[in-house]
Amino acid sequence: MSYQRTITLNDNIQIPWVGFGTGTALYGRNAKDSIVTAIRAGVRHLDGAQTYGNEDSLGEGIREAGVPRSELFVTTKLLESIDFEKETPKTKLLDSLKKLGLEYVDLYLIHSPHAARQKGKLQEWWKNMEEIKKEGLAKSIGVSNFGVDDLKEVLEVATIVPSVNQVEFHPYVWTKVKSIYDLTKEKGIVIESYGGLVPVTKAAGGPVDPVLEKIAERLSKEAGKTVTPGHVLTKWQIQKGVIVVTTSSKESRIKETLDIPTLPDLTSDEITQIEQEGSKLHKRIYMKHAFKDE
């Protein structure tokens, strides 16, 4: 099935190419029913975070869905700003594991470098993350919303290279994210995206629209089924080697997403067109404070 498609991380852990996110629409809300729907639709990668305020209901959804833990890939993320005198990435993860009802997570991310950067704690945080992996509390460790300078600072002291960097990733941030993308490629770090559908959900009418519509029309004819501009955006991310985190409340849309890898590939010219048109508009929606380009 489509959910079994995986990407191999630099520590040889297999991560499903699509993750179901519990932020944005589910932020601060009970996620149990949504998680059950997603898992029963075929999703096996669940993306949570301490700041989303719903780890307990994420755990409830996992238990209710009835799929063996070994078949699931569960992510959570370290709160951006913690009590730097009393808390560490490890103590915060132990809290998360209690809420989730799990013995370990498959991936633990530093959600943002911003507060730790201000406190001069980024390298200290990363060394603590390495201990977490060594102790088996997280199978893989990585970062989120890290720019080039943040990544380089961590890599200066890293004996374990981050496995992923989760960032907002779509054509309207491509110009700014390309340097991050290039560095992660060089270092064997996989990009994980969120907000991938921004051009159609929050920035409709932009320069990339005609390109997406034209590609969607071609793919619809070739695939013999309706392909939307949103599907094209996800296909673009897949062909960039990116892990996609997305959310939907509808089982039918989740299944459509899981089938996107089976669509015909975008041509190199189409990929170039998407990126060229995307470069005409800069539109970052999330975590603006973590980046220096705003």
Side-chain angles (χ1 to χ4, degrees):
M1 293 179 67
S2 298
Y3 68 75
Q4 293 174 330
R5 294 172 181 266
T6 61
I7 292 175
T8 303
L9 301 176
N10 57 20
D11 54 7
N12 291 318
I13 297 293
Q14 300 288 313
I15 182 171
W17 76 270
V18 65
F20 184 85
T22 58
T24 56
L26 292 172
Y27 189 98
R29 295 175 54 197
N30 189 308
K32 185 188 76 169
D33 291 345
S34 297
I35 292 298
V36 172
T37 297
I39 292 174
R40 291 180 178 169
V43 170
R44 293 297 181 267
H45 173 183
L46 308 164
D47 183 85
Q50 293 163 6
T51 195
Y52 299 162
N54 54 17
E55 288 174 305
D56 52 351
S57 60
L58 168 55
E60 289 170 9
I62 289 170
R63 289 187 291 277
E64 183 164 319
V67 170
R69 173 68 180 94
S70 59
E71 293 185 17
L72 300 175
F73 190 101
V74 182
T75 298
T76 197
K77 309 180 196 76
L78 174 65
L79 197 66
E80 179 178 54
S81 184
I82 66 175
D83 184 335
F84 286 91
E85 299 301 319
K86 298 178 181 179
E87 298 175 317
T88 66
K90 180 181 175 181
T91 63
K92 294 299 291 181
L93 177 57
L94 291 172
D95 289 344
S96 289
L97 292 175
K98 288 179 184 176
K99 292 175 182 177
L100 291 163
L102 301 175
E103 295 182 357
Y104 67 91
V105 290
D106 297 275
L107 179 63
Y108 188 40
L109 305 179
I110 296 175
H111 203 151
S112 164
H114 182 66
R117 182 201 296 147
Q118 290 183 318
K119 295 280 189 178
K121 295 278 191 177
L122 262 187
Q123 293 184 338
E124 180 182 319
W125 269 20
W126 188 252
K127 298 313 290 183
N128 194 251
M129 294 286 284
E130 292 183 340
E131 291 302 314
I132 286 167
K133 179 175 171 64
K134 289 172 184 175
E135 292 177 27
L137 296 172
K139 301 293 186 183
S140 288
I141 52 174
V143 297
S144 181
N145 300 300
F146 272 49
V148 168
D149 290 344
D150 304 313
L151 287 167
K152 287 181 175 178
E153 185 172 343
V154 162
L155 290 168
E156 282 179 5
V157 299
T159 55
I160 300 173
V161 174
S163 58
V164 308
N165 183 19
Q166 186 180 117
V167 295
E168 183 174 342
F169 192 98
H170 52 75
Y172 293 146
V173 291
W174 173 246
T175 299
K176 298 294 185 180
V177 85
K178 188 177 185 301
S179 59
I180 302 170
Y181 180 84
D182 290 344
L183 178 61
T184 57
K185 282 281 188 183
E186 177 190 334
K187 300 297 182 181
I189 303 166
V190 174
I191 288 286
E192 193 171 7
S193 79
Y194 64 85
L197 299 182
V198 160
V200 295
T201 60
K202 297 182 182 297
V208 81
D209 281 17
V211 175
L212 297 177
E213 289 164 5
K214 184 177 179 181
I215 297 170
E217 184 178 349
R218 176 182 73 81
L219 295 183
S220 294
K221 289 177 181 177
E222 291 190 19
K225 60 183 178 181
T226 300
V227 176
T228 68
H231 296 156
V232 175
L233 284 168
T234 300
K235 186 70 176 181
W236 170 71
Q237 292 174 72
I238 293 169
Q239 288 184 233
K240 301 297 285 187
V242 169
I243 300 160
V244 177
V245 175
T246 188
T247 302
S248 177
S249 60
K250 296 184 178 180
E251 183 178 356
S252 59
R253 287 187 181 173
I254 294 170
K255 289 182 175 179
E256 284 178 8
T257 298
L258 289 168
D259 281 339
I260 289 173
T262 67
L263 294 176
D265 280 349
L266 308 184
T267 66
S268 57
D269 284 347
E270 288 170 339
I271 290 172
T272 298
Q273 289 169 20
I274 289 171
E275 292 165 10
Q276 285 179 342
E277 293 304 304
S279 70
K280 295 177 180 178
L281 173 66
H282 178 62
K283 188 78 172 178
R284 188 187 303 282
I285 302 297
Y286 306 101
M287 299 296 289
K288 293 180 180 181
H289 65 284
F291 292 89
K292 300 173 183 178
D293 61 78
E294 302 300 340

